[in-house]
Amino acid sequence: MSATRYTYLGPEGTFTEAALRTLPEAATRELVPMVSVPAALDAVRSGEAAAALVPIENSVEGGITATLDALVSGEPLMIYREVLLSIKFALLVRPGTTLADIKTVTAHPAAQPQVRNWLKAHLPEALWESSASNADGARLVQEGRYDAAFAGEFAAATYGLEPLITEIHDAVNAQTRFVLVGRPARPAAPTGADKTSVVLWQRDDHPGALLELLQEFSVRGVNLMLLQSRPTGQGIGNYCFAIDAEGHISERRVGEALMGLRRICPEVRFLGSYPRAEVMPGEVRALRAGTSDAEFVEAAEWLARCQDGRA
């Protein structure tokens, strides 16, 4: 395994690369662009790379299904860190192109919902076609395949393009969340501001099946931050559920919730416990009464006293 190589959704000039370069260790790693999220993750699975940074969620459209599906299937991987990046697009064109010249535009599919209203207002007749990434769209503009691409302004110099218009975004303060993914290992120690990610499969479909899964978190005071269903590929109506929950697997409330899920689900895929990017430890909300580690320990000791006749 190459311990110094990190892969990411390429080519050069993507928002993913910009997010990766915010990590301190990126300065000492070989950063290798890949053509797709599955390709970036497969390089980790095969040992060609130590980790991959990939987009997993944005604040406009929610979960990025290509990444979720690549984590759900195949050899298990684990999330070790997350990065939040504010997203603002620039309309990149070949030198000399005017707004009136633009008949075709391209970008990654996740970009379209973030620029849809701007596109409707300023280029209502332009034909949209999706590209593998925003930077790949810029490369296709450079090659003459399209007239313009929505990408980060920083990608213009890489592909010999000009930012015709900058600061494009339909939603103010739009962000994309990226995760650093590696092979399974012991999770890092809890920080006090952590997130745990899992994927759950139902044993069978029946009334209240999803409620049963969610109650394992609810009764232990574990707050959920993301819940998304994904088809299993085994027919209409068959879904698994990707969940992000507050807390760390080493905390009693989270660990017991996962044990409860393991009892009632045919499969639970643990995707990792890792520091949250949007908060500091001192900013985390107070735990509900009865859900701290100390209270779980006291309850276990009380049960032991009852079993021993010492209650």
Side-chain angles (χ1 to χ4, degrees):
M1 176 184 294
S2 175
T4 61
R5 181 178 298 144
Y6 282 6
T7 57
Y8 66 91
L9 176 62
E12 294 181 6
T14 59
F15 285 111
T16 309
E17 181 188 11
L20 179 55
R21 291 189 181 278
T22 67
L23 299 179
E25 63 266 37
T28 59
R29 302 293 192 273
E30 177 190 3
L31 308 184
V32 181
M34 306 297 284
V35 297
S36 66
V37 167
L41 296 179
D42 284 344
V44 179
R45 290 186 171 107
S46 69
E48 297 174 27
L53 194 84
V54 292
I56 196 169
E57 181 185 5
N58 71 63
S59 59
V60 177
E61 284 290 285
I64 296 175
T65 56
T67 301
L68 288 171
D69 291 345
L71 289 171
V72 166
S73 61
E75 184 181 342
L77 294 170
M78 267 182 59
I79 299 170
Y80 289 92
R81 186 176 300 183
E82 66 178 8
V83 177
L84 291 180
L85 189 71
S86 295
I87 303 296
K88 296 179 181 178
F89 291 93
L91 190 67
L92 304 186
V93 299
R94 293 182 294 278
T97 301
T98 68
L99 202 62
D101 297 327
I102 298 174
K103 308 302 179 188
T104 57
V105 295
T106 187
H108 187 273
Q112 188 175 24
Q114 302 180 64
V115 300
R116 183 184 293 126
N117 293 335
W118 187 95
L119 196 59
K120 182 179 179 180
H122 297 89
L123 291 170
E125 303 299 324
L127 175 66
W128 170 284
E129 289 194 27
S130 295
S131 52
S133 68
N134 298 317
D136 191 56
R139 179 184 64 81
L140 295 173
V141 171
Q142 179 191 45
E143 294 176 355
R145 297 268 299 276
Y146 300 99
D147 298 323
F150 289 102
E153 184 177 356
F154 48 80
T158 301
Y159 297 98
L161 303 178
E162 293 180 349
L164 183 62
I165 300 174
T166 61
E167 300 287 319
I168 299 172
H169 48 76
D170 288 352
V172 178
N173 299 323
Q175 291 182 309
T176 294
R177 174 178 162 236
F178 302 83
V179 289
L180 186 69
V181 179
R183 294 177 67 82
R186 188 179 185 88
T191 66
D194 301 291
K195 179 183 295 183
T196 293
S197 298
V198 294
V199 182
L200 312 173
W201 281 260
Q202 292 177 305
R203 193 172 299 281
D204 56 66
D205 186 22
H206 60 270
L210 179 57
L211 177 60
E212 290 172 3
L213 305 183
L214 300 182
Q215 282 178 330
E216 295 295 333
F217 294 103
S218 176
V219 298
R220 296 173 177 89
V222 179
N223 186 48
L224 300 188
M225 307 177 70
L226 179 143
L227 170 62
Q228 181 162 344
S229 62
R230 296 299 303 148
T232 63
Q234 298 176 358
I236 296 295
N238 287 293
Y239 293 91
C240 60
F241 298 93
I243 290 177
D244 288 345
E246 286 184 347
H248 193 279
I249 191 173
S250 66
E251 297 175 39
R252 292 292 188 98
R253 61 196 178 99
V254 178
E256 288 200 8
L258 297 186
M259 286 193 294
L261 291 165
R262 185 64 185 86
R263 290 196 305 270
I264 64 176
C265 295
E267 183 178 353
V268 177
R269 177 167 287 197
F270 174 63
L271 293 181
S273 289
Y274 47 94
R276 292 168 57 183
E278 81 279 17
V279 297
M280 299 298 290
E283 298 173 343
V284 177
R285 72 183 65 159
L287 296 179
R288 247 177 52 197
T291 64
S292 70
D293 275 9
E295 287 162 317
F296 272 93
V297 170
E298 193 280 329
E301 292 174 346
W302 172 84
L303 179 62
R305 291 195 302 272
C306 291
Q307 292 170 333
D308 291 343
R310 298 180 290 112

